[in-house]
Amino acid sequence: MKILALYGSLRAASINSAVLRTVRYLAPASIEVRLFSGLGDLPLYNPDLESTLPAVAKQLRNEVAAADALLIASPEYAHGVTGTIKNALDWLVAFEGFVDKPVAVLNATPRAQHADTELRETLITMSATLIEAASITLPLPSANIGEAELLAMPEIVSLLSGVLTKVQRAVKWLPDMKPYLSSSLYIDSQHPAIVAQAAKLAEGYSDEEAIAKRCFEFVRDEIKHSWDYRLNPVTCKASDVLSHVTGYCYAKSHLLAALLRANGIPAGLCYQRLTIDGDPPPFCLHGLNAVYLEPYGWYRIDARGNKPGVAADFCPPLEKLAFPIMNSLEQDLPGIHAEPLPAVIKALTEHQTVEQVYHNLPDIDHQNQSV
């Protein structure tokens, strides 16, 4: 696998270039990390030069196209990214070889939050695939240290080695897993609050199974089921579920999917069709999740929230869901969905109170299996 590293400072003693050289040193034989050293030679971007591309701009585009992923580290100048890195990205805006390119962002200075946010926004606007799990802020004690000092810090070595592992995993899974790693309107895994909570849950853990379990238990135990606790407002977006600390099973599954995706773990949505009162009819949908874990593959988990008679757990490869199928008319609906079913969105967005949702729970056409 090939990673192209871009650093946004031209200083010889730049901490950002030192970080990327450290990453190159730590890379295993299976990963080639190449630092692009020509950003200072790029002329200011001018669309008129597209027909006769400067040699250094052509080289940049060729190396971006050949790379499996990009790794960018840039300092902050006056609450923004440097002109160096912005100019490089300007040369890539109209370049097809950049679209959907996996990109991870390293922030070498914890106080440089403005540039980090701005850089992420630019990359997303340019249709890059931001690898959130590998985009981290390093807890460096000083900006005046080099590779030798970085390599002598076990925590930094561990974090940067983890970045390489997560980039490699993302490249391996894309594009097949892209729908299950993407941020969207209701599974807004790139929302700052989601990213922060996902990072908090993953802190101190490198194993994806352990991280997935932490995310599952957080949503199951800390986010209150709206009907169990009679809590308003009705939530749907993952970030709203996190903000209000409540949601129906469907909304809780949106939050769990977002937290997993923010940690670079593929996650989707699953549904069951269950009786409401124990004897049919009526029926309603029940929302849960599937997470992709090596070596198990897709594994269903149910973060609905436990209560007397409900004891869902995370114990792969054994499934322990909230509700077993009790009769021939109930069923596990087929498929793993990257996005919520329209009937679920309708129920959660067209009703104002949890009582209204309860009396209008989503269901499907049993004969046609349509929503």
Side-chain angles (χ1 to χ4, degrees), residues 304-354:
R304 176 224 179 270
N306 290 342
K307 63 178 184 177
V310 175
D313 206 352
F314 184 101
C315 42
L318 176 68
E319 285 186 351
K320 194 170 183 183
L321 306 181
F323 302 111
I325 299 300
M326 299 298 292
N327 61 62
S328 60
L329 295 178
E330 293 186 330
Q331 63 183 131
D332 291 316
L333 299 186
I336 299 170
H337 303 265
E339 293 299 321
L341 293 180
V344 168
I345 299 303
K346 179 181 174 67
L348 296 181
T349 59
E350 293 188 359
H351 301 294
Q352 301 302 311
T353 67
V354 293

Side-chain angles (χ1 to χ4, degrees), residues 57-89:
K58 185 175 182 180
Q59 180 190 359
L60 174 64
R61 291 185 178 184
N62 287 342
E63 294 201 25
V64 166
D68 296 297
L70 303 185
L71 190 57
I72 301 177
S74 178
E76 178 174 296
Y77 289 171
H79 281 190
V81 298
T82 64
T84 301
I85 202 67
K86 183 62 171 66
N87 187 48
L89 293 175

Side-chain angles (χ1 to χ4, degrees), residues 115-169:
D116 187 58
T117 300
E118 181 181 317
L119 180 55
R120 289 167 182 253
E121 175 64 23
T122 299
L123 291 168
I124 293 169
T125 302
M126 291 173 63
S127 298
T129 299
L130 188 62
I131 310 174
E132 282 288 359
S135 299
I136 62 173
T137 296
L138 297 169
L140 298 178
S142 168
N144 299 311
I145 51 179
E147 298 100 294
E149 291 90 345
L150 292 170
L151 288 169
M153 300 176 185
E155 181 183 5
I156 299 303
V157 168
S158 176
L159 287 171
L160 294 179
S161 296
V163 166
L164 287 166
T165 299
K166 290 167 184 174
V167 170
Q168 188 173 42
R169 183 191 304 150

